[in-house]
């Protein structure tokens, strides 16, 4: 198991059992072992054989990756990042064991992360980040990202609604089922359903910088004529799922209880986007095609009539129990290194503050727009991933306007790389590119791209010597 250790597997099993409300006796019965033996496993006093490991995945309905410590590694990375915040002034040198101990206690870890998020919000608030009308910005995107992460970016209630609507549209057009609805007919089917079921008239018009505008009073949806075809289709699906998935979206909003109006609206938009993607890319059809083409994103985007980014993001949501895809991370960055969107179901430690590592292809792919760049990257924790990046240039609305650029990055744990087409021309046995969560948290000593010193190590400047590394410091 990638990333697993004998000192961690018991904690993982105990957490998963408690999350499912199972007693030790109930889980032991499912496994065919005694409750006392399970108790020893949970306290890391007994190892787990390969055969028993498979039984655990079935009994708890989880993937091997989940049992490998993906969640624990992610929480450890988040804790280390939060506790290393320079504004806190904390000395994290030699504190790896303490962080691991805290991460093993999910409730305590979540409380610390929540307190750090509240501190960051208060700090930004004190700095005067006000919205029009006097309202204060309280990091709504961060709150929404946490909700997606906790659910592994999978929302079964939205998948169910999307499948039902897709089936209804197929029957309306005379097809036997949603899976047989040709992709060439989907936009027409969505527009027809908007008109027939909801009385919405769709128009494509010049609309300035507004890409989509819905007028509830007139029941009119205006799409910009500057939108490419695949984006136009996605906006149609978004509008339809605002109606069709209303009850399911409200259910998630009631469960999560966002702390601010802004966070609630951003979460609602994110959930509606998810439902629209599920409508255009039906779960089982998309998973089967992804498996058949070995996660070739360009093939998937063509087959389903969506953009490269839409197909890539959909790959990061294939975590249905009993029908899981490869656990994927998805990251979108801009040329300044800002992470504008991210999801991860494979434990990739996406930075929550600061910019990503300049050696990661999430940053370097901007030099080759439109070209897919592959890379094997490794963190000092031993986590190693396949990373696939593609930079894309957006359209301009008038001459002289700078073209917007963004980088779409997806990847998986190196143990699953052989299932992905992008690994075919890579030597997976070669030394990976060393990267860090951010410069402040990176332990790699010989990096020549470092922009900031690591907070956990003592600096060693020398007036009589200049070395190739930009910032000298003592190694771990």
């Amino acid at each position: 198991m990638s990333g697993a250790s004998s000192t961690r597997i018991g904690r993982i099993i105990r957490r998963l059992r408690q999350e499912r409300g199972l007693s030790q006796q109930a889980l032991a019965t499912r496994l065919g072992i005694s409750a006392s033996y399970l108790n020893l496993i949970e306290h890391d006093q007994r190892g787990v054989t390969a055969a028993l490991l498979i039984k655990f995945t079935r009994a708890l309905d989880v993937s091997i990756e989940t049992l490998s410590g993906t969640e624990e590694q992610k929480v450890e990375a988040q804790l280390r990042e939060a506790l290393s915040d320079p504004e806190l002034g904390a000395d994290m040198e030699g504190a790896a064991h303490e962080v691991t101990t805290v991460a093993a206690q999910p409730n305590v870890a979540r409380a610390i992360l929540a307190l750090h998020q509240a501190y960051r919000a208060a700090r930004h608030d004190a700095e005067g980040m006000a919205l029009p009308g006097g309202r204060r910005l309280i990091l709504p995107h961060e709150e929404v990202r946490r909700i997606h992460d906790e659910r592994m970016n999978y929302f079964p209630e939205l998948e169910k609604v999307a499948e039902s609507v897709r089936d209804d549209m197929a029957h309306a057009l005379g097809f036997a089922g949603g899976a047989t609805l040709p992709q060439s007919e989907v936009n027409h089917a969505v527009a027809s359903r908007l008109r027939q079921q909801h009385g919405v008239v769709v128009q494509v018009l010049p609309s300035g910088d507004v890409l989509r505008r819905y007028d509830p009073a007139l029941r009119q949806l205006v799409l910009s004529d500057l939108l490419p075809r695949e984006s136009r289709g996605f906006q149609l699906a978004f509008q339809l799922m605002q109606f069709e998935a209303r009850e399911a979206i409200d259910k998630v909003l009631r469960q999560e209880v966002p702390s601010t109006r802004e966070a609630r609206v951003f979460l609602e938009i994110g959930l509606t986007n998810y439902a629209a993607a599920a409508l255009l890319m039906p779960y089982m059809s998309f998973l089967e095609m992804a498996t058949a083409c070995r996660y070739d994103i360009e093939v998937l985007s063509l087959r389903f009539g969506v953009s490269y980014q839409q197909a890539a993001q959909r790959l990061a949501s294939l975590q249905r129990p009993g029908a899981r895809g490869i656990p994927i991370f998805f990251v979108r960055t801009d040329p300044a290194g800002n992470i504008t969107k991210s999801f991860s179901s494979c434990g990739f430690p996406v930075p929550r503050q600061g910019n990503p590592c300049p050696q990661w292809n999430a940053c370097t792919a901007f030099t080759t727009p439109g070209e897919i760049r592959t890379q094997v990257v490794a963190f000092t924790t031993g986590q190693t991933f396949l990373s696939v990046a593609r930079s894309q240039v957006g359209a301009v609305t008038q001459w002289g306007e700078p073209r917007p650029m963004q980088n779409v990055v997806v990847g998986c744990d190196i143990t699953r790389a052989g299932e992905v087409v992008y690994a075919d021309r890579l030597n997976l046995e070669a030394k990976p590119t060393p990267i860090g969560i951010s410069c402040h948290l990176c332990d790699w000593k010989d990096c020549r791209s470092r922009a900031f010193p690591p907070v956990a190590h003592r600096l060693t400047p020398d007036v009589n010597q200049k070395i190739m590394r930009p910032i000298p410091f003592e190694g771990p």
Side-chain angles (χ1 to χ4, degrees), residues 145 316 329-333 338-344 348 350-351 356 360 362 388 407-411:
R145 184 163 82 164
F329 71 80
F330 170 94
V331 175
R332 189 181 68 194
T333 63
N338 301 304
I339 293 178
T340 57
K341 182 180 285 189
S342 69
F343 307 105
S344 178
F348 188 91
V350 180
W360 181 24
V388 181
N407 202 354
V408 173
V409 192
V410 298

Side-chain angles (χ1 to χ4, degrees), residues 32 94 121 131-132 165 167 189 212 221 234 273 297 304 351 397 416 428 438 456:
L131 295 172
V165 173
D167 285 342
R212 176 183 58 86
L221 174 64
F234 193 90
N273 279 329
I297 301 173
F304 288 88
T397 58
R416 305 297 295 271
L428 299 182
S438 67

Side-chain angles (χ1 to χ4, degrees), residues 110-161:
R110 279 194 290 267
I112 292 175
L113 292 173
L115 285 172
H116 182 251
Q117 180 179 337
Y119 162 72
R120 288 178 61 198
R123 188 174 72 203
H124 285 303
D125 191 62
E127 290 170 356
M129 293 179 64
L131 295 172
R135 293 178 289 115
R136 295 286 181 173
L137 181 64
I138 313 179
L139 302 175
H141 288 88
E142 186 70 24
E143 184 174 355
V144 170
R145 184 163 82 164
R146 175 187 58 79
I147 292 170
H148 279 268
D149 281 350
E150 289 180 351
R151 289 180 175 245
M152 299 287 282
N153 194 36
Y154 176 67
F155 296 86
E157 50 273 88
L158 300 182
E159 298 280 357
K160 184 177 180 181
V161 173

Side-chain angles (χ1 to χ4, degrees), residues 57 90 228 354 420:
T57 64
V420 180

